[in-house]
C-alpha cells in the first residue's frame, strides 16, 4: 500500500461461522498460520462477530543501497490493494483555548463503501485516538496497531518542534497504513467515517459496540482460566522475551545517542582550534586547515548518523514495544472468553439432567472462543510477517548508514593525507 500504482481489488467477503474451521476441535484440521481470505462485518442475531483471515503485506523499499541489494523473501509479488492512505502536511493551530497540530489524511480507493474515489480531511491526534478506541471496542478479537504515545515530558521534548511533529506524523501514517492493509479492520465503519467525514465529531454517533464487543467488554472477573492452550501460551512467552530484548536495545541506543551528541559538541569545538592555529603559523597553515576540514566533515557525518538513529531507529523500537502491549491485551481478552466458556461448560457437565440439550449460551460462548482463536492466529501471523520485514529493513538500513558514516570520515582523512604528502614532497 505504501507505493506503486493503485490496482483495483474487489472487496473480499467473509466466511460464516459454519464455514470456519474449529481451532479447538479434534476432528477438524488446525487453522493454518497464513490463511487466505478476509471480509466485512457479519451482523446476525446470534452473533455479531467480525472475522477475517491474514493477508501478508510488504514493506516499502528503502532508499538504502544495502537494502536495495537485499531481496526480502516474504514479499508477495501478486499482492494488490484497493485502499491507499497517507498522512502529511502538519499544520499548527493556535486559539485562545489551546494550541494543537492537525494532519492531512488523504485517501484513494476503489471500494464501493466510499461515495467518492478520493478524500482529503484534516485530523488531530485525538481523532486518531478516537478511531483506535472504536476499533478496539468493535473488533475486540483483533490486534489493533498502536498509536505513538500521546503525552510527552514538558521541558524535555517540545511537542511543537519540527522534529517531534515529523516523527509523530510518520507514526500516524504507519498506523493508518497498517489498518488499511488489514482485511477486517479496513472495512470497519468507524475507519470509513474517519477517512471520509469532514466533521468527525458529528459522526461519532455511529460508534456502536458490536454484540461481541459487549460480550467481551463485560466479561466478569469471576471466571478463572485453567490454562492457556499451548500455542497461545507460547505467544505469551515470546512476547515477554521480546519485550526484554527491545527494552534493553532501546535503553542502550538512547545512551549511544546521548554520548554521540556529547561527542559532537566536543568535535565542534575541536575543529576551530586548528583553524585558529593555522592563521597564526603560515608554515603549517595548509595541513592545519586540512585537519580542521576533516573534523568538520566528521561532525557533519556524525550529526547525520545520530539523527538517523533518533528519527528512524528508535521510533520502530518504540512502536513494537507498544505493539507488544496491544497483543498482550488481546491475549487477555481471549483468556477471559475461554474462562467464561470453561465455567459454563463445567456447569453443564455437573447438571442433574444429562438428557437436556446444551444451552444456547454455551454454544454461543464456544463460537466466541473459536472466533477469538481464529482471529488471533491470523493477526499473530500477520504481525510476525510485518515484524520480520520491518526489522530487516531497519537493521540493513542501520548497517548502510554506519557504512556511509565511516566512508565519509575515511574519505575526508584520505584526501587530507594525500594533500599533505604532496605538499611535503614539493
Amino acid at each position: 500500500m505504501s507505493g506503486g500504482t493503485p490496482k483495483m481489488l474487489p472487496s473480499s467477503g467473509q466466511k460464516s461461522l459454519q464455514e470456519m474451521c474449529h481451532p479447538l476441535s479434534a476432528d477438524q484440521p488446525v487453522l493454518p498460520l497464513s490463511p487466505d481470505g478476509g471480509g466485512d462485518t457479519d451482523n446476525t442475531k446470534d452473533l455479531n462477530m467480525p472475522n477475517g483471515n491474514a493477508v501478508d503485506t510488504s514493506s516499502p523499499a528503502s532508499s538504502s543501497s544495502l537494502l536495495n541489494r537485499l531481496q526480502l523473501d516474504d514479499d508477495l509479488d501478486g499482492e494488490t490493494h484497493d485502499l491507499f492512505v497517507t498522512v502529511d502536511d502538519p499544520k499548527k493551530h493556535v486559539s485562545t483555548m489551546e494550541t494543537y497540530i492537525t494532519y492531512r489524511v488523504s485517501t484513494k480507493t476503489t471500494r464501493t463503501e466510499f461515495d467518492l474515489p478520493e478524500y482529503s480531511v484534516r485530523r488531530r491526534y485525538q481523532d486518531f485516538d478516537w478511531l483506535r478506541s472504536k476499533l478496539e471496542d468493535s473488533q475486540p478479537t483483533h490486534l489493533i496497531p498502536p498509536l505513538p504515545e500521546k503525552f510527552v515530558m514538558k521541558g524535555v521534548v517540545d511537542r511543537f518542534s519540527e522534529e517531534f511533529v515529523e516523527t509523530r506524523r510518520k507514526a500516524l501514517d504507519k498506523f493508518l497504513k497498517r489498518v488499511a492493509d488489514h482485511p477486517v479492520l479496513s472495512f470497519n465503519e468507524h475507519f470509513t467515517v474517519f477517512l471520509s467525514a469532514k466533521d468527525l465529531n458529528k459522526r461519532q454517533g455511529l460508534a456502536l459496540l458490536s454484540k461481541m464487543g459487549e460480550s467481551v467488554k463485560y466479561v466478569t472477573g469471576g471466571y478463572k482460566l485453567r490454562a492457556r492452550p499451548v500455542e497461545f501460551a507460547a505467544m505469551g512467552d515470546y512476547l515477554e522475551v521480546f519485550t526484554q530484548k527491545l527494552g534493553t536495545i532501546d535503553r542502550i541506543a538512547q545512551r549511544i545517542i546521548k554520548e554521540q551528541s556529547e561527542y559532537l559538541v566536543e568535535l565542534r569545538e575541536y575543529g576551530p582550534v586548528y583553524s585558529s592555529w593555522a592563521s597564526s603559523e603560515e608554515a603549517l597553515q595548509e595541513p592545519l586547515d586540512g585537519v580542521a576540514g576533516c573534523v568538520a566533515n566528521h561532525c557533519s557525518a556524525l550529526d547525520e548518523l545520530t539523527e538517523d538513529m533518533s528519527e528512524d531507529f528508535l521510533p520502530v523500537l518504540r512502536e513494537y514495544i507498544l505493539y507488544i502491549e496491544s497483543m498482550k491485551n488481546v491475549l487477555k481478552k481471549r483468556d477471559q472468553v475461554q474462562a467464561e466458556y470453561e465455567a459454563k461448560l463445567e456447569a453443564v457437565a455437573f447438571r442433574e439432567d444429562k438428557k437436556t440439550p446444551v444451552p444456547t449460551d454455551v454454544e454461543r460462548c464456544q463460537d466466541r472462543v473459536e472466533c477469538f482463536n481464529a482471529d488471533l492466529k491470523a493477526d499473530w501471523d500477520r504481525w510476525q510477517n510485518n515484524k520480520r520485514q520491518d526489522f530487516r529493513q531497519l537493521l540493513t538500513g542501520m548497517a548502510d548508514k554506519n557504512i556511509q558514516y565511516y566512508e565519509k570520515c575515511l574519505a575526508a582523512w584520505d584526501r587530507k593525507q594525500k594533500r599533505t604528502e604532496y605538499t611535503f614532497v614539493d
Side-chain angles (χ1 to χ4, degrees):
M1 190 193 70
S2 306
T5 304
K7 301 179 183 179
M8 294 187 64
L9 178 68
S11 299
S12 55
Q14 181 177 2
K15 296 180 179 179
S16 66
L17 286 175
Q18 290 75 17
E19 297 173 325
M20 288 176 55
C21 174
H22 190 327
L24 302 181
S25 175
D27 59 350
Q28 293 287 345
V30 178
L31 200 69
L33 291 180
S34 299
D36 297 326
D40 304 318
T41 302
D42 182 9
N43 295 314
T44 62
K45 182 177 180 182
D46 291 337
L47 183 62
N48 186 357
M49 184 59 231
N51 179 64
N53 297 317
V55 176
D56 292 334
T57 61
S58 57
S59 298
S62 169
S63 59
S64 162
S65 60
L66 181 60
L67 183 60
N68 289 337
R69 296 196 297 268
L70 179 67
Q71 299 297 322
L72 297 181
D73 55 11
D74 299 307
D75 290 346
L76 297 180
D77 295 334
E79 188 178 63
T80 57
H81 298 280
D82 57 0
L83 181 62
F84 297 80
V85 185
T86 57
V87 178
D88 60 9
D89 189 29
K91 288 185 178 179
K92 185 177 181 179
H93 301 261
V94 180
S95 65
T96 56
M97 298 297 294
E98 60 179 338
T99 301
Y100 59 94
I101 302 291
T102 65
Y103 304 85
R104 180 174 61 191
V105 177
S106 303
T107 304
K108 293 184 179 181
T109 183
T110 57
R111 292 186 179 181
T112 57
E113 290 83 0
F114 293 86
D115 297 329
L116 300 173
E118 296 186 15
Y119 292 89
S120 180
V121 296
R122 298 204 70 84
R123 299 286 184 252
R124 55 188 297 185
Y125 180 89
Q126 67 182 28
D127 298 327
F128 288 84
D129 192 44
W130 171 86
L131 171 62
R132 190 178 188 283
S133 175
K134 296 307 176 186
L135 289 176
E136 279 194 325
D137 287 341
S138 58
Q139 314 278 184
T141 65
H142 285 287
L143 172 63
I144 311 301
L147 283 171
E149 294 173 304
K150 180 176 181 179
F151 299 104
V152 296
M153 296 179 63
K154 292 184 178 180
V156 177
V157 177
D158 179 7
R159 64 190 184 98
F160 297 113
S161 67
E162 291 185 8
E163 294 79 7
F164 178 83
V165 171
E166 177 60 15
T167 298
R168 172 165 283 187
R169 182 202 67 77
K170 290 180 180 178
L172 295 175
D173 181 73
K174 181 172 287 188
F175 166 75
L176 288 188
K177 281 179 167 57
R178 293 199 190 282
V179 175
D181 276 343
H182 197 283
V184 176
L185 300 182
S186 63
F187 287 92
N188 185 277
E189 64 171 346
H190 308 299
F191 187 49
T192 302
V193 169
F194 178 89
L195 296 179
S196 59
K198 285 295 181 183
D199 189 350
L200 188 62
N201 293 329
K202 293 180 179 179
R203 302 297 302 276
Q204 290 186 6
L206 292 176
L208 300 177
L209 294 175
S210 67
K211 293 179 182 178
M212 180 58 186
E214 291 281 2
S215 66
V216 172
K217 186 175 181 181
Y218 296 111
V219 168
T220 65
Y223 301 112
K224 185 176 181 181
L225 181 68
R226 292 176 184 145
R228 276 179 177 170
V230 175
E231 56 190 325
F232 297 111
M235 289 181 187
D237 294 340
Y238 176 87
L239 293 175
E240 291 297 332
V241 174
F242 192 37
T243 300
Q244 296 175 5
K245 292 178 179 177
L246 289 189
T248 301
I249 293 174
D250 181 62
R251 288 192 299 273
I252 295 175
Q254 290 190 61
R255 289 204 302 267
I256 290 174
I257 291 174
K258 181 176 181 294
E259 291 172 2
Q260 286 178 340
S261 299
E262 293 172 350
Y263 179 45
L264 190 57
V265 172
E266 299 293 338
L267 279 180
R268 285 172 175 162
E269 295 178 0
Y270 185 56
V273 175
Y274 287 95
S275 297
S276 177
W277 183 6
S279 64
S280 62
E281 192 157 348
E282 185 176 352
L284 294 175
Q285 181 175 1
E286 186 169 346
L288 289 171
D289 282 338
V291 171
C294 289
V295 173
N297 287 333
H298 190 179
C299 286
S300 176
L302 183 60
D303 192 26
E304 291 180 7
L305 182 64
T306 304
E307 182 178 338
D308 288 333
M309 285 194 68
S310 299
E311 298 183 3
D312 297 329
F313 187 76
L314 287 184
V316 174
L317 295 184
R318 289 166 183 167
E319 182 201 12
Y320 272 90
I321 290 174
L322 294 173
Y323 237 136
I324 291 171
E325 293 305 313
S326 297
M327 181 62 80
K328 287 181 178 179
N329 288 335
V330 178
L331 275 172
K332 289 178 181 177
K333 287 189 286 187
R334 195 216 71 86
D335 290 346
Q336 290 175 341
V337 174
Q338 181 182 336
E340 179 187 15
Y341 171 63
E342 290 176 350
K344 291 183 177 181
L345 199 61
E346 184 177 5
V348 171
F350 284 99
R351 65 186 175 177
E352 295 182 359
D353 185 4
K354 301 295 183 180
K355 296 181 180 181
T356 306
V358 176
T360 304
D361 64 328
V362 177
E363 295 179 347
R364 291 178 182 175
C365 194
Q366 181 185 19
D367 288 340
R368 292 199 294 270
V369 173
E370 293 174 12
C371 288
F372 238 121
N373 291 347
D375 290 346
L376 185 52
K377 287 178 183 179
D379 282 357
W380 175 268
D381 182 70
R382 165 179 288 274
W383 180 72
Q384 287 285 6
N385 182 66
N386 287 339
K387 176 178 65 67
R388 184 165 54 249
Q389 295 188 33
D390 286 345
F391 277 92
R392 280 188 176 184
Q393 179 175 323
L394 179 70
L395 297 175
T396 51
M398 181 177 68
D400 200 25
K401 294 294 174 59
N402 275 274
I403 290 172
Q404 293 174 13
Y405 163 72
Y406 286 108
E407 283 179 344
K408 289 177 182 178
C409 294
L410 179 60
W413 286 105
D414 189 51
R415 289 193 300 269
K416 161 65 180 68
Q417 184 182 37
K418 290 179 179 178
R419 284 197 302 268
T420 302
E421 291 176 351
Y422 178 77
T423 300
F424 283 125
V425 170
D426 289 347

